[in-house]
Every structure is written in structure tokens, then in C-alpha cells.
Amino acid sequence: MATTWQRRGLALALATALIAGTAACAREPDIAWKPPAAQGPGGVSLLAAVKSKGQKSADGQKAADAGKAGKSAKNAKTIGAAIADPAKIGIVSGRIRNDALPIQARYVFLPGVPKFNGRVSELLWTAIRATGKPYAPQAFPVGAGLGARGCVDGSTERTPAELLLDKATGPTGGSGTAITCSLLGAFGPYVGVRFRTVTGTAEAPKKGVKPADATAKITADRTTTLYANVKTGEVSDDATRWREVAPAELWRDTVSALRTRHGGLSNAPVAAPGKAQLALAAAALEGAETAEDGGLDVTFAPGIAAPELAGLGTDATKDQTPVHVPAKTAAGWAAPSEQQRLAAAEQPFVGMPAGSWTAPIDCNLVPCVAVTYDDGPAKHTGELLDTLRSKQALATFFMLGNAASGAPDTVRRAASEGHELASHTMNHPDLTTLRPEAAVAQVKDAAAIIGKLSGTPVTMYRPPYGAVNEKVLRAVGWPAILWSVDTNDWKEPGPDALVQRSVPVLEPGGIVLFHDTHTDSVKTAGRVIDGLRDRGFTLATVSQLFDGKVPVGRVSAR
């Protein structure tokens, strides 16, 4: 019979043999192995966290940088064809500065897409009304630097302080409202534009401090993304891009992935988000960008808090949380309009609607001037039209009936390109020297010729030499358009003098007189346009100055 010591020795031997056998079967450790990325039920995975560059809001809390983790808007699948020169594809750029409110806005219009333009106009007016102050369009002295217009690449990704302090986007002094936009791209029938409105006060940074890190008190910070279908005219925005369930499902998957990242082993369903949590997820979806694999890259602002995370000792997130949504999941979240847009992401842009290259002008919103040309069409008028087209600028032409009859193609072209045409009589007589019926014939015979050629009725005139009296006014019964600024270009003072006689002296609502029969007036048109835009002006037709309702009688300015 074995002794106690013998039994203990046998057990030790067996244990040693078992351990040795197991060790002999063990694999070599894989030093390259990494745990799989934390994922939610829908395959949502966490990306590398990004530090937030927040600003202090009105209640002293951190407001998320709207930069959506600083992702570039140049995501190839998001934008389709890059927009290096918006004017080349017909996008019309705008800019407003008003120091009385104060406010500065950078924006774009799409010719032939009224629903989009209406949304942009309403965005601008909403910001203006929110100031609670009376508003009148404002122009500035020469050298104001307002000629650069439209969207500023990447501006919607910047911190609020940067937008408010930058002279290119912010209100004077860094206090007030900044409206800016980024062009997301043009592809298939779609043009995408992201707008951002920031209201607050930013303090100029101290020496050595970057503008992005400047102190700012922000009272409002809103981002809106619009996609316009230029073929159908329909417009979709953040609220219509995604199905109603998308924010809740994004929240569920993101919290589940965070739970896994922080060591949670539970697979229990994530609790339904509350109102604030749902808003956080919806805001993240607003800035969603299409990734290279067809999925979405989405960034949550700081503040993700959930019971599932609190149970792991995890407080609300202090930094932005970027996540990736697989293509299949994203497709399930997308509304029909968004699915169509995503499907067109790699198609070439179809172009703006045929025949449309100008956008509506609201002279109650922007400071307007009317540039007018008399005595044509002439041999230089085609060159002038080329300049106006390249500058996306409008003019009003007071044409002679005899000249119009001799240049029908020029008349048609001027009308088709959005310019306003009016009568300058048949052959340029002083109307005050004629009998009333003869004066009427001079004005309205020319109008009939111009109207027939252009396809647009003519209902106003400019009396030659500006000579008009009550007898003529009553007989004709139309607006007699004079001017507030006469360049006297017929005296041929030279190009520099023509610029000096027009650009610095015009006021909002003004009408300036040139002649397209004079070479220098045509050659300097580009300089005049650039100079007026530098001061903040928008070039409008005479009718646009008056919202389409030009008063009868003498008219020299709005």
C-alpha cells in the first residue's frame, strides 16, 4: 500500500507532465495582433478622436467646433467634380457687409434654381432680422476690398472665433454675425453648398495666440447644407437627407461602440436617446461626408453621455468623436433624395439650366447701382457684352431704333444674357422740340422694334440729351430714365478719368451714364465693374433697382 508521500509524488509527476505537454502544443505569440475596432450593431466603428477647439458660449460652456473634426470638404465622393472656379460653371457669388448691424455674409446663388436662391435669401434675411436693428444696404469707399465674393473654401470648418475675426468673413471688429459658405461640389445634376451662421463676440488674440484659439462668446452657431438638383429645381437640406430613424440608430451604434472601447462586455441594447442626445446625433449627421468606401464619416460634438457609459465610469465626452458608418448602413438611413444624390456622386456635372446665367437681385438686401449705355447697338457692343458676361454683371441698354434694326443679333444676344433693353428714340432728337405725337412716335416706334427683336416688351425710355418736359412726360406716359452720375464719356476724357468719374462717386440706388459707341467706355467696363464691387456694390438693371416697379416720370436714381 502506497504511503502518503508516495501518493503526493505521483500527483506531482502527473501535473508536471500535463503542463509540459500543454506548453509543447502552444502557439508562438502574434506580436502584430491588435484587438478589433469597437463597433456598434450596425457596423459603426470609432475613428481616432480629435481634440476640439471650442469657444465659450453664452452660458460659459464649451461649444463644439463646427469643423466636424476638421475633415476637409475636399472629399472626392462628397463633391464629385471639384469646383476650382465657381463662375465657370455658372455659380453667382455674393457678399454683404453692413457695419450698422454689424454683419458680413459670403454666399452663392444658382441661376435658374429659384428654390435654392429663395433658401439662401431667407437665410440672409433671417440673420439680418435677428439683429433687431433697421437695415439699409451699405457701400464703402474705394479700397474696401469687397470684390472677392462667394464661398470661402473650408470656412465652414473653422472655429467661431476665426470666422468672426477674419476680415474676409467676419463683422467689423469681430462682434456681430458672420455668414459663410463652402462649396461641397458639383456632380451629376447636383450642386452642394454648406452655409454657416455664427453670432457672437470674439476678442483679438494676444501675441502668440492663434485666431483659432482666441476667446469668443458665441450666442448662435448654425450650419445648413443644401443640395440643389439643377435639372428638377428641387432642394434637399439636412432635415430631409436622412430617414427619421437615422439619428436614433446612429446614437445607438455609437454608444455601443464607445461601450466596447471602454471595456464593456455587455451586448444589451442601448437605451433610447433623450431629446438632447437625439439632437447631438442629428447635428452629427448634418455634417456627414461620404467616405472612399461609400460609407459615411460622421463626427459627434463633445457631450456624448449615456447610462451605458456612466456604468463604466465614463463621463460625457470632452472631445469630438468621429465615427465611420458602413455603406450598407448609410444606405438604409438615407432618404430617397439622398440615395439619388449618393448614386450620382461620381458623375460629371450636367451644367446649369440652359439660358440661365444670372441670379435674382434684391436691392433691398444688397447695395445696387445701374450701369447704363446709350446710342447702341454699335460696333463695340459685342465686346462690351463679352466683358459683362465674363464678369457676371448686368447693364441696361438704351438703344436707338435705327441702330437696333441694323444689328438684330446683338439686340437678341443682349436680351438673352439678361440685360435690360429700353428705348432711346428712333434717331436721337431732342423730344422737347417735337410735337407730342411725334415725341411719342420716336419713343414707342423704337420700343416696338427692340421689343420685337428681343421678345421682351419695352416700357421705359431715356430722352436724348436728358431733355424732357412735362408735355413729353404726359404724352409718352412711361418712366423717363435719366442718371445720377454722368461720365461725359462723349468728351473722350480717357480710361482713367472714366473710372474716376464713376466708381468713387456712385451711391446705392444710383444710375451712371456711359455710351457703348465710345471705345474707352467699352474698354474700361471691366475696371468699372471691379471698382464698384470692391466698394460692395451689385450691378443691377434699372428695373431691378425699383423691384420691377419703375415709377412714371423723371427717374434719376432709386
Side-chain angles (χ1 to χ4, degrees), residues 265-300:
L265 300 177
S266 172
N267 289 322
V270 171
K275 185 176 181 180
Q277 298 163 328
L278 203 61
L280 200 66
L285 272 177
E286 289 178 6
E289 295 183 352
T290 309
E292 291 297 327
D293 63 356
L296 295 176
D297 286 340
V298 180
T299 301
F300 278 83

Side-chain angles (χ1 to χ4, degrees), residues 430-471:
D430 180 339
L431 296 178
T432 64
T433 66
L434 304 179
R435 291 175 302 175
E437 59 270 24
V440 170
Q442 278 282 342
V443 171
K444 295 192 174 181
D445 287 355
I449 292 170
I450 297 165
K452 184 176 180 180
L453 290 172
S454 66
T456 302
V458 172
T459 57
M460 64 184 185
Y461 70 107
R462 172 168 284 163
Y465 317 108
V468 67
N469 55 26
E470 290 302 320
K471 185 167 59 175

Side-chain angles (χ1 to χ4, degrees), residues 139-143 369 485 487 496-508 512 514 527-528 531-532 534-535 537:
F140 296 85
V142 171
V369 289
V485 174
T487 61
D496 292 341
L498 292 177
V499 173
Q500 289 303 312
R501 291 178 182 184
S502 56
V503 171
V505 297
L506 276 162
E507 297 292 335
V512 60
F514 290 97
R527 292 176 59 189
V528 170
L532 291 172
D534 173 81
R535 294 187 57 202
F537 281 117

Side-chain angles (χ1 to χ4, degrees), residues 84-422:
D85 185 352
K88 282 190 175 180
I89 64 169
I91 292 176
V92 176
S93 297
R95 185 173 183 176
I96 296 171
R97 174 183 158 192
N98 191 288
D99 291 352
L101 298 186
I103 191 171
Q104 182 163 197
R106 304 287 293 261
Y107 58 94
V108 293
F109 285 132
L110 303 182
V113 191
K115 286 186 178 180
F116 178 91
N117 299 334
R119 291 288 298 271
V120 176
S121 292
E122 183 56 30
L123 183 150
L124 297 172
W125 277 115
T126 297
I128 290 170
R129 295 187 195 105
T131 68
K133 298 179 180 179
Y135 177 78
Q138 186 177 8
F140 296 85
V142 171
L146 299 175
R149 303 188 170 195
C151 295
V152 179
D153 189 34
S155 60
T156 55
E157 316 293 326
R158 300 165 71 185
T159 67
E162 286 180 289
L163 289 178
L164 291 171
L165 291 172
D166 189 342
K167 292 181 179 180
T169 56
T172 300
S175 179
T177 298
I179 302 173
T180 189
C181 62
S182 297
L183 292 168
L184 302 182
F187 49 91
Y190 297 98
V191 175
V193 186
R194 180 168 295 151
F195 293 90
R196 187 169 174 209
T197 304
V198 174
T199 300
T201 299
E203 297 179 10
K206 297 178 180 179
K207 187 176 181 180
V209 178
K210 297 178 181 179
D213 298 322
T215 300
K217 185 177 181 181
I218 306 304
T219 57
D221 188 348
R222 299 178 299 277
T223 299
T224 301
T225 303
L226 299 179
Y227 280 97
N229 185 320
V230 300
K231 290 184 69 175
T232 67
E234 294 302 313
V235 177
S236 61
D237 58 17
D238 305 322
T240 59
R241 291 176 64 192
W242 309 106
R243 294 172 55 221
E244 189 175 354
V245 300
E249 293 190 3
L250 174 63
W251 175 267
R252 176 203 67 190
D253 283 10
T254 301
V255 170
S256 180
L258 284 170
R259 179 173 60 186
T260 302
R261 171 181 279 181
H262 290 290
L265 300 177
S266 172
N267 289 322
V270 171
K275 185 176 181 180
Q277 298 163 328
L278 203 61
L280 200 66
L285 272 177
E286 289 178 6
E289 295 183 352
T290 309
E292 291 297 327
D293 63 356
L296 295 176
D297 286 340
V298 180
T299 301
F300 278 83
I304 298 177
E308 294 81 5
L309 302 179
L312 298 172
T314 302
D315 297 327
T317 56
K318 294 181 174 59
D319 296 316
Q320 295 170 335
T321 303
V323 302
H324 178 72
V325 181
K328 183 177 180 180
T329 301
W333 291 351
S337 60
E338 180 72 0
Q339 292 175 352
Q340 293 169 5
R341 186 187 69 80
L342 293 173
E346 294 184 349
Q347 298 174 10
F349 182 52
V350 299
M352 293 295 176
S356 298
W357 69 278
T358 60
I361 294 173
D362 181 356
C363 295
N364 296 304
L365 178 65
V366 296
C368 294
V369 289
V371 178
T372 66
Y373 294 91
D374 285 7
D375 293 354
K379 64 180 180 179
H380 305 298
T381 306
E383 180 183 348
L384 175 58
L385 291 172
D386 291 342
T387 300
L388 293 169
R389 178 68 185 255
S390 69
K391 297 287 185 180
Q392 292 183 314
L394 294 176
T396 301
F397 290 87
F398 291 93
M399 295 182 168
L400 295 172
N402 289 339
S405 295
D409 290 342
T410 302
V411 176
R412 295 187 189 99
R413 178 187 171 187
S416 69
E417 294 184 356
H419 305 291
E420 186 165 35
L421 310 186

